[in-house]
């Protein structure tokens, strides 16, 4: 994730739960929405995410009515979602 800050999910101002990805290019200081492949996690907030090499590891969260225990990986070079095997 060098040169970028990646943000996943959350809740917008209308109370809609999100599962989108937005990234900040920290060299040019501009935000963009990468084109993603794979199956994304369900919309959520209150999750944990950390960088591990070129991957973002996402765990847990909730959508206001359900708590999640899944782990997902987002390859931030290929912009591809995957789950551990």
């Amino acid at each position: 994730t060098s040169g970028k800050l990646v943000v996943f999910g959350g809740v917008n101002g209308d109370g809609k739960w999100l599962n989108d990805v937005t990234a900040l290019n920290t060299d040019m200081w501009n935000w963009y929405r990468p084109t993603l492949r794979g199956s994304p996690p369900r919309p959520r907030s209150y999750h944990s995410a950390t960088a591990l090499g070129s991957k973002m590891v996402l765990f847990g969260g909730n959508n206001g009515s359900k708590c999640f225990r899944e782990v997902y990986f987002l390859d931030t070079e290929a912009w591809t979602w995957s789950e551990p095997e």
Side-chain angles (χ1 to χ4, degrees), residues 57-75:
V57 182
L58 179 94
F59 171 73
N62 74 69
N63 66 1
S65 61
K66 179 174 171 80
C67 291
F68 302 113
R69 300 183 307 170
E70 304 111 348
V71 174
Y72 284 86
F73 300 116
L74 177 61
D75 182 321

Side-chain angles (χ1 to χ4, degrees), residues 10-54:
V11 181
N12 71 11
D14 296 326
K16 179 182 177 189
W17 297 84
L18 307 172
N19 69 340
D20 58 354
V21 172
T22 305
L24 173 66
N25 177 320
T26 58
D27 296 324
M28 305 202 41
W29 294 104
N30 64 318
W31 290 96
Y32 62 100
R33 291 236 172 136
T35 300
L36 303 173
R37 294 183 295 176
S39 297
R42 290 176 280 183
R44 67 190 66 205
S45 192
Y46 306 106
H47 50 277
S48 297
T50 191
L52 182 63
S54 65

